[in-house]
Amino acid sequence: MKFLNELTGIAGAVLLLGSSFTANATVVTYPAPAEAQLNNTFNVEVRQAGSEKWLPVDVYAVKVDETIGGKHNVRTVSMAYFDFDGEVDVRVVSNKLPVKDVRVRPLSYSIPVEVSGNTFTFSLDTPRNLSVEVNGEIFNNLQLFANPLDVNAPANPKKWAKDKNHIYFGPGYHKLDTVMVVGSGKTVYVAGGARIDGSIHVKGDNVKILGRGMVYPEGRGAGLEVQRSNDVEIDGLFSTQCPVGKSNRVKISNVKVMSSYGWGDGFNVFASNDVTYNHIFARTSDDCTTIYATRKGYEGGCRNILTEDAVLWADVAHPFMIGLHGSAAELGTDAPSDVITDVMYRNIDVIDMHENQIDYQGVFAILAGDNNIVKNITFEDIRIENFRKGKLIDIRIPWNKKYCAAPGKCIENILFKDIYYNGDRSELSLIIGYDETRKIKGVTFDNLVINGEHIYDKMPGKPGWYKTSDMARIFIGEHVEDVVFK
């Protein structure tokens, strides 16, 4: 295992060489390690607005998943990152595709693009996690992560790393021979321009994993993971997956994950409380975000989970998945029910989803299994683009015998507030309970807008004999009470 004392360059010097400063703006770029696999589909440059000096931004090759005929197909896309404040201009040259049109997503950002031949430019005045797509290509695109400035970078890395509780990965390539386990009181810093081929697992309290580099193992597996820990902070990194199990008070900020293999979930929560995600990005080969109870040896429910300011792209499965796994499958059907409660998602863009399996198609999937109790879930200010395949809403209490030992106990008090879907590919949405003892109660849609049309009980143009749900193509089945469209 190689880490800590391999200070492969002083971070401050690297930042200075790859930076542009004015009184009102700063731009920081990070040269890629010599061993990194780069992608020459695009050339990327960035400059402070109004400057004549363009800084090159290295473009990495990163793997994603395209499912064709039920089979996984690994595709390689481009990924680049830089830091800035103020306002910057971004210039991209398409080296392989003649440019007919360009879109920068999420579309809700309304970022205008100027095209000249095979070169195009756009400007940013706030940190963004973007997909830049030429001629609609989503498997030959540029994932561009425009970060805020890194306030956690050590001013003097050599001096900082002399502290026994500090672990420093400088710019360059680092191969971990085994999983790196980080114990209590430790702070790990992964500098911009560092690429760690391996995984970092937190197993302790008061731990920080910070930086701008990549924790990106070759092959399968989570680059970052939090296990049975308390008071953990992860900030600024790029990885494959970032699950949290049986932990409390975990804060994950500005973390980007991309995966290409089966079961490549992005941000999992298992049996944990007080977990916060802020300004995250997920493009995944399974669910982007999940909240489960007892699972993978972690026991218990989940409470107080917040996800905000996120961009989600599910090449397989769901952007949001709640409730499928619990105690019944691992501890027996007579085990006490796990409770998943007090969950908030807000200010999120869903820019794609592609799922063929009928049981797993919801953008918003609440599938209570294993005697779980799921309640007090809020989705607020969520913008959904025209995904490739799936359905908008899937709220059910099924008995999924492939994964569960029993159906869930109940789903209660679900609020959808300010939900905007623009598209024409959503299949029939579902809200279905299980039986008279396992019901869904209290689902409220407050300002559901589909293709610009507000869906509510007294909406104009709704035939009197229609249910409001008909106008949103939502089937409300048996054992469901109190569904309201406001």
Side-chain angles (χ1 to χ4, degrees):
M1 180 181 295
K2 300 178 181 180
F3 59 97
L4 183 55
N5 293 321
E6 290 195 352
L7 301 182
T8 56
I10 303 302
V14 171
L15 294 185
L16 185 60
L17 288 173
S19 301
S20 176
F21 301 89
T22 69
N24 299 315
T26 305
V27 181
V28 182
T29 62
Y30 303 98
E35 299 87 348
Q37 182 181 356
L38 301 182
N39 193 332
N40 64 358
T41 301
F42 300 100
N43 291 343
V44 180
E45 296 175 300
V46 63
R47 70 178 181 185
Q48 65 192 50
S51 171
E52 295 183 358
K53 182 181 180 181
W54 289 95
L55 299 174
V57 181
D58 285 333
V59 181
Y60 294 82
V62 175
K63 297 175 181 177
V64 298
D65 184 25
E66 181 182 18
T67 56
I68 302 174
K71 296 182 179 180
H72 296 282
N73 295 270
V74 175
R75 301 289 300 272
T76 300
V77 301
S78 301
M79 186 277 287
Y81 66 94
F82 61 88
D83 300 353
F84 80 104
D85 68 0
E87 184 175 352
V88 295
D89 301 323
V90 178
R91 182 165 69 185
V92 181
V93 178
S94 176
N95 295 320
K96 296 183 178 180
L97 295 172
V99 178
K100 298 178 181 177
D101 62 77
V102 179
R103 64 179 183 180
V104 179
R105 300 199 293 155
L107 297 177
S108 69
Y109 297 165
S110 300
I111 297 174
V113 181
E114 295 185 7
V115 180
S116 177
N118 285 344
T119 300
F120 53 92
T121 59
F122 55 91
S123 299
L124 300 172
D125 60 6
T126 192
R128 297 293 197 191
N129 295 320
L130 303 172
S131 175
V132 181
E133 299 161 10
V134 173
N135 307 337
E137 287 280 348
I138 62 172
F139 290 103
N140 203 8
N141 68 318
L142 169 65
Q143 304 288 172
L144 184 65
F145 304 123
N147 297 300
L149 295 181
D150 184 5
V151 298
N152 298 309
N156 187 328
K158 284 186 176 179
K159 182 178 179 181
W160 184 86
K162 289 181 179 179
D163 188 317
K164 66 177 183 178
N165 287 322
H166 292 168
I167 301 170
Y168 181 83
F169 291 91
Y173 179 84
H174 307 266
K175 173 68 175 177
L176 301 184
D177 299 325
T178 60
V179 171
M180 178 180 172
V181 177
V182 181
S184 294
K186 303 290 186 180
T187 296
V188 179
Y189 184 81
V190 184
R195 188 280 171 93
I196 297 175
D197 181 0
S199 299
I200 298 176
H201 290 184
V202 176
K203 295 184 179 181
D205 300 338
N206 300 301
V207 175
K208 295 181 179 181
I209 315 293
L210 310 171
R212 284 293 181 270
M214 302 170 64
V215 186
Y216 190 71
E218 289 292 337
R220 301 176 59 90
L224 299 165
E225 188 162 346
V226 181
Q227 304 174 355
R228 296 182 171 84
S229 301
N230 301 297
D231 302 298
V232 175
E233 181 181 351
I234 302 177
D235 187 287
L237 301 171
F238 176 89
S239 193
T240 51
Q241 299 174 256
C242 187
V244 175
K246 197 58 180 177
S247 297
N248 300 288
R249 299 178 301 281
V250 178
K251 183 179 180 180
I252 296 174
S253 303
N254 193 28
V255 172
K256 290 77 63 176
V257 297
M258 296 175 66
S259 60
S260 62
Y261 42 82
W263 315 108
D265 291 354
F267 297 97
N268 298 111
V269 180
F270 305 104
S272 296
N273 303 306
D274 302 304
V275 181
T276 299
Y277 299 92
N278 180 262
H279 192 64
I280 60 170
F281 174 91
R283 181 175 182 179
T284 54
S285 50
D286 211 307
D287 302 312
C288 294
T289 67
T290 71
I291 301 176
Y292 297 139
T294 297
R295 178 73 166 163
K296 295 183 178 292
Y298 304 120
E299 295 182 15
C302 294
R303 181 183 296 271
N304 295 335
I305 313 298
L306 169 64
T307 302
E308 60 183 346
D309 187 14
V311 178
L312 306 180
W313 178 335
D315 281 318
V316 182
H318 314 84
F320 309 99
M321 168 57 126
I322 301 173
L324 186 62
H325 302 293
S327 59
E330 297 198 12
L331 304 178
T333 54
D334 58 347
S337 294
D338 289 327
V339 179
I340 297 172
T341 187
D342 302 329
V343 175
M344 166 70 83
Y345 299 90
R346 65 186 176 206
N347 187 23
I348 294 173
D349 287 272
V350 176
I351 64 174
D352 201 5
M353 175 181 68
H354 183 265
E355 179 54 70
N356 282 306
Q357 297 182 87
I358 300 300
D359 281 349
Y360 307 100
Q361 285 193 318
V363 170
F364 302 100
I366 304 176
L367 304 178
D370 279 343
N371 288 328
N372 286 336
I373 296 170
V374 180
K375 61 182 183 179
N376 303 332
I377 313 296
T378 297
F379 299 93
E380 182 174 339
D381 192 15
I382 314 293
R383 301 164 294 275
I384 306 103
E385 297 183 17
N386 198 14
F387 48 79
R388 282 172 286 157
K389 191 162 189 178
K391 57 173 66 82
L392 187 62
I393 306 290
D394 193 3
I395 304 175
R396 289 181 289 129
I397 302 178
W399 187 353
N400 187 326
K401 296 182 181 180
K402 183 176 182 179
Y403 298 113
C404 300
K409 282 287 182 67
C410 68
I411 297 174
E412 297 182 353
N413 192 24
I414 311 302
L415 173 61
F416 294 91
K417 180 176 174 59
D418 299 331
I419 308 298
Y420 304 89
Y421 169 56
N422 287 291
D424 57 3
R425 299 176 188 150
S426 178
E427 299 186 18
L428 183 66
S429 292
L430 303 174
I431 304 177
I432 306 173
Y434 187 77
D435 61 22
E436 283 299 311
T437 65
R438 298 173 186 257
K439 290 185 175 182
I440 297 172
K441 298 180 180 180
V443 179
T444 299
F445 295 91
D446 184 353
N447 195 34
L448 171 63
V449 183
I450 298 178
N451 294 321
E453 185 173 38
H454 295 255
I455 309 298
Y456 60 101
D457 287 337
K458 295 184 179 181
M459 62 186 291
K462 181 177 75 69
W465 59 94
Y466 275 33
K467 295 182 291 185
T468 307
S469 58
D470 294 336
M471 305 301 292
R473 297 197 72 246
I474 301 173
F475 173 73
I476 300 176
E478 295 77 15
H479 316 299
V480 177
E481 299 177 0
D482 301 323
V483 178
V484 178
F485 292 85
K486 296 166 58 176

